[in-house]
Amino acid sequence: MSAPLPMDEESEIQAAELALGLVEGEDHAMAWRRVMADPDFAAAVGAWEARLAPLFGEIVEAAPGEAVWRQIQAELTPATAAGADRGVVVTLRRRVLAWRGAASLAASLAAALSLALLWPHQAPVSVVRPTPGPPAPLLAANIAGAGPTAVFVAVADPAHGRIVLTPVKVAPTPGKALELWLIPTGGKPIAIGLAASGRPIELRASAAPAAQAGAVMAISVEPPGGSPTGAPTGPVVATGKLQAM
Amino acid sequence: MADGDASALETLYRLTSAKLFGVCLRILKDRSEAEDVLQEVYLLIWRRAGAFDPLRGVSPVTWLATLARNKAIDRLRGRKTHLTRPVEDAAHIADGGEGAEAILAARQDEGRLNDCLDQLPERHGSWVRAAFFDGATYAALAQAAGAPLGTMKSWMRRSLLQLRTCLEA
């Protein structure tokens, strides 16, 4: 989209007022008509919405009643679906939702991750699952250390046998590798794989049952190629607990 | 295709409904009304035709939360809808960047916004927050502050411009 014309002060104020919802009645109607007619004004309103959006982070999550999804689901008929393979749902899906294809799972997990962590004030809430028979929940862990090294976020999808790591802050140690471990409650560390950002790590079938809420994920510093012994040999630089998203 | 889309909407609901419900509850302060609006929001997304919020270059996450907030405010004020332009092209939805950089940036943005709100004249920051979180209008703010409507408008307008300057610094 080409850069919008700079707004005059009055229009800038109107855009802010509209984004906040300060005006009512005819003033409001007029401002909305302008949004429809004037793309530069619409962009100015969008800019204000983006400026204020961080405040959404302070809003506490709350689970709606289960009936809400059932009622939505009851309306999801082909008659109400628009049809073509374009549009907002598809775009949102690309950015926010899980795709069926394995190739896009990493992208969808990263997107799910971003949703959970863009609003970081509360511990991730287990959202009321829509009925019937939903897939196993995604789990997320914020893997943090005491120092500035190796801060990761992990999203685990045990149902599909994958974990995706995103490094938030990494200070790489030359000549060393970072290895990811899964430590079930009261159990021994299970080697998961080398920590590389963005690439999904295959969760072996034997390890998948350990990927449950409450299990700890840890990162240790190992020789290149990972620990030769099957247990951490180097220092553990970060840990985090898996929680349902 | 319909099955795939329904499953996609279900996943979107699973991932976002707690936050959007929180937004609606904060504005409406009534569970039943908030649930009505929540349902309306997801059906709007599903239908993606007819009445729709114009896409204004915001990230998908912001877009969703803003849509929920706008619908909740509509409900609060008894309007039917203020959303009348159909979606032209979903490609306008900006790529919000779902990676780690976006997460870090979001945390910094929160801090910066709160700092700038704190730098506004006394109480002005809390008025902006009341408008955002509770759907307060100029009239409501003026009444709460015991100030004439015109005065409140002029205070807020100055502060909004100051807020923008602060954020762009």
Side-chain angles (χ1 to χ4, degrees):
Chain A
M1 177 168 139
S2 60
L5 295 172
M7 287 274 113
D8 58 280
E9 202 171 79
E10 180 60 31
S11 299
E12 191 63 33
I13 288 169
Q14 278 179 25
E17 290 172 343
L18 191 60
L20 272 170
L22 283 166
V23 292
E24 316 173 74
E26 185 52 35
D27 289 340
H28 173 90
M30 224 165 47
W32 265 99
R33 282 198 289 272
R34 190 171 172 193
V35 167
M36 303 306 162
D38 181 350
D40 290 331
F41 184 69
V45 175
W48 273 103
E49 286 170 349
R51 275 182 202 111
L52 296 165
L55 291 176
F56 284 121
E58 295 179 30
I59 291 185
V60 178
E61 295 186 336
E66 301 221 16
V68 177
W69 174 252
R70 283 202 293 272
Q71 278 156 10
I72 293 169
Q73 196 171 38
E75 304 244 358
L76 304 186
T77 64
T80 57
D85 208 11
R86 293 185 59 74
V88 173
V89 170
V90 172
T91 303
L92 282 172
R93 184 172 62 191
R94 217 184 301 133
R95 302 273 162 69
V96 169
L97 308 177
W99 272 24
R100 293 178 173 221
S104 54
L105 184 62
S108 67
L109 287 177
L113 168 73
S114 72
L115 271 181
L117 296 173
L118 276 170
W119 295 312
H121 279 265
Q122 307 92 31
V125 171
S126 185
V127 176
V128 171
R129 291 197 236 136
T131 57
L138 298 175
L139 304 165
N142 209 6
I143 309 178
T149 53
V151 178
F152 284 90
V153 176
V155 175
D157 185 2
H160 293 96
R162 278 191 175 88
I163 293 180
V164 172
L165 287 183
T166 306
V168 177
K169 212 185 326 187
V170 176
T173 313
K176 296 282 190 188
L178 295 174
E179 188 161 5
L180 178 67
W181 306 86
L182 180 58
I183 310 168
T185 319
K188 289 208 180 97
I190 304 169
I192 299 298
L194 293 180
S197 117
R199 279 208 321 268
I201 302 176
E202 288 288 338
L203 195 57
R204 291 186 317 278
S206 55
Q212 297 188 11
V216 170
M217 305 219 69
I219 307 259
S220 70
V221 178
E222 301 293 339
S227 161
T229 69
T233 66
V236 169
V237 293
T239 62
K241 198 180 279 199
L242 275 174
Q243 295 170 302
M245 282 175 65
Chain B
M1 207 284 304
D3 279 349
D5 270 2
S7 150
L9 191 76
E10 184 175 318
T11 309
L12 180 68
Y13 183 88
R14 209 152 52 86
L15 291 172
T16 60
S17 57
K19 176 59 78 167
L20 298 195
F21 188 58
V23 170
C24 296
L25 257 186
R26 190 84 185 250
I27 299 268
L28 291 162
K29 301 174 174 48
D30 178 293
R31 269 196 85 89
S32 161
E33 298 233 42
E35 286 185 345
D36 283 351
V37 172
L38 194 69
Q39 189 180 331
E40 204 182 323
V41 166
Y42 286 99
L43 288 175
L44 256 186
I45 296 166
W46 174 254
R47 289 186 194 117
R48 62 195 197 264
F52 226 119
D53 206 323
L55 304 170
R56 291 183 286 276
V58 296
S59 78
V61 167
T62 297
W63 184 80
L64 276 173
T66 301
L67 177 63
R69 182 174 169 272
N70 285 344
K71 294 305 276 182
I73 288 184
D74 278 354
R75 179 89 170 209
L76 186 69
R77 304 193 189 160
R79 286 193 296 261
K80 292 210 172 85
T81 177
H82 67 242
L83 310 173
T84 59
R85 191 169 81 177
V87 175
E88 283 159 14
D89 186 346
H92 285 317
I93 298 184
D95 189 339
E98 290 85 18
E101 306 76 27
I103 296 164
L104 262 186
R107 295 186 188 179
Q108 286 161 2
D109 285 346
E110 251 191 273
R112 212 161 80 226
L113 176 56
N114 279 316
D115 285 344
C116 287
L117 284 169
D118 289 342
Q119 283 173 44
L120 295 176
E122 196 185 341
R123 292 191 299 165
H124 290 212
S126 70
W127 292 335
V128 173
R129 296 167 73 87
F132 186 85
F133 289 115
D134 303 319
T137 58
Y138 274 138
L141 290 174
Q143 189 169 49
L149 181 61
T151 307
M152 176 57 72
K153 281 189 181 177
S154 116
W155 281 339
M156 285 294 282
R157 288 162 151 234
R158 238 179 304 140
S159 280
L160 289 170
L161 290 173
Q162 185 183 328
L163 185 61
R164 188 189 63 160
T165 305
C166 178
L167 287 170
E168 289 176 353

